C-alpha cells in the first residue's frame, strides 16, 4: 500500500488524515495469470492501482481479440467508460502475469472526494493523464506508420517486448503478426 500512497503523492500532496482514510478503504487483491479483472457485460465498480504484474484491455471483434491497452506496475486501472457511466463494460481486462492490485469502490472514492479535496484533485490529475495518453494513442494511430508505432513502443516501453506475447502487441499496434515480424527484423 505504501507504493500506492507514494505514487499518489507524486501527483499532489496528501494530508496524513487523507492517507489514513484512503488506506482504510483500500482492499488488496491477488490474481493469477489469465484471470479476468473484468469481463464484457459486467459493470466496473472499482478503481484499481496495479502494484505488481501486468494486464491488458481488449475487445472481441468478429471472433478475434483486439488489444487496446496494457497496464503495468504503478498504473491506475479501470474500465473508464463502465466505471463512470455505471453501464456494462464493452471490454475485457485480463491478467498477463500474476498480479497484485489495490481496489477502492466508486462509492467509497466519491465519499473521500467529498471529505478530502486533495484526494479528488489527485484522482482528477490521474484522469487527465489517462485522457492525454488516450488522445496521443488516437493521434498516433491516425498519422504514424506501423514502423513508427513500433519504434515508439520500444523506445517508450521496451519492457513490453519481454512481458507481452507478440500477438497482443501486433493487435495493439493494429497490424498483423507478419507485419510485426518484418518490422522487428529492421531493429
Amino acid at each position: 500500500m505504501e507504493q500506492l500512497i507514494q505514487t499518489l503523492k507524486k501527483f499532489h500532496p496528501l494530508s496524513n488524515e487523507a492517507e489514513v482514510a484512503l488506506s482504510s478503504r483500500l482492499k488488496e487483491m491477488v490474481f493469477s495469470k489469465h484471470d479476468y479483472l473484468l469481463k464484457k457485460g459486467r459493470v466496473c465498480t472499482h478503481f484499481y492501482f496495479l502494484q505488481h504484474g501486468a494486464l491488458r484491455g481488449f475487445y472481441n471483434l468478429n471472433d478475434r481479440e483486439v488489444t487496446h491497452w496494457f497496464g503495468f506496475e504503478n498504473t491506475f486501472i479501470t474500465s473508464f467508460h463502465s466505471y463512470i457511466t455505471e453501464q456494462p463494460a464493452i471490454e475485457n481486462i485480463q491478467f498477463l502475469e500474476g498480479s497484485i492490485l489495490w481496489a477502492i469502490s466508486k462509492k467509497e472514492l466519491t465519499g473521500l472526494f467529498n471529505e478530502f479535496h486533495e484526494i479528488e484533485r489527485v484522482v482528477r490529475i490521474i484522469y487527465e493523464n489517462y485522457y492525454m495518453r488516450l488522445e496521443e494513442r488516437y493521434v498516433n494511430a491516425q498519422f504514424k506508420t506501423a514502423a513508427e508505432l513500433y519504434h515508439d513502443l520500444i523506445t517508450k516501453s521496451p519492457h513490453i517486448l519481454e512481458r507481452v506475447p507478440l500477438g497482443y502487441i501486433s493487435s495493439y499496434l493494429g497490424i498483423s503478426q507478419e507485419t510485426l515480424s518484418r518490422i522487428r527484423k529492421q531493429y
Side-chain angles (χ1 to χ4, degrees), residues 9 13-20 116 118:
K9 286 180 173 182
L14 293 176
S15 66
N16 288 338
E17 296 81 11
E19 281 184 44
V20 169
F116 301 98
E118 69 256 42

Side-chain angles (χ1 to χ4, degrees), residues 33-120:
K33 184 177 182 178
H34 303 300
D35 284 350
Y36 283 82
L37 180 63
L38 179 71
K39 287 189 176 183
K40 176 185 174 185
R42 294 206 172 143
V43 176
C44 185
T45 59
H46 287 74
F47 196 67
Y48 304 93
F49 175 76
L50 182 59
Q51 178 178 312
H52 173 77
L55 43 69
R56 71 181 179 121
F58 70 95
Y59 298 100
N60 292 310
L61 180 66
N62 300 328
D63 295 327
R64 62 186 184 96
E65 296 177 353
V66 179
T67 299
H68 67 104
W69 60 269
F70 298 107
F72 299 95
E73 288 81 11
N74 301 318
T75 304
F76 295 93
I77 305 293
T78 196
S79 177
F80 274 96
H81 188 270
S82 178
Y83 178 78
I84 291 168
T85 65
E86 299 179 358
Q87 297 297 311
I90 58 173
E91 70 179 322
N92 301 284
I93 301 175
Q94 183 182 37
F95 292 93
L96 300 173
E97 301 172 356
S99 299
I100 300 170
L101 292 97
W102 291 94
I104 187 167
S105 72
K106 183 176 183 179
K107 181 179 178 180
E108 289 180 313
L109 188 56
T110 300
L112 288 173
F113 291 168
N114 295 329
E115 191 175 349
F116 301 98
H117 293 290
E118 69 256 42
I119 292 176
E120 183 177 30

Side-chain angles (χ1 to χ4, degrees), residues 56-59 64-70 94 96 137 150 153 160-181 184:
R56 71 181 179 121
F58 70 95
Y59 298 100
R64 62 186 184 96
E65 296 177 353
V66 179
T67 299
H68 67 104
W69 60 269
F70 298 107
Q94 183 182 37
L96 300 173
R137 179 156 160 67
Y150 180 76
L153 183 73
I160 287 179
L161 293 176
E162 299 166 6
R163 298 175 71 182
V164 175
L166 291 178
Y168 296 161
I169 292 172
S170 65
S171 174
Y172 174 75
L173 295 174
I175 59 177
S176 69
Q177 288 190 35
E178 294 78 15
T179 300
L180 178 60
S181 292
R184 289 184 72 215

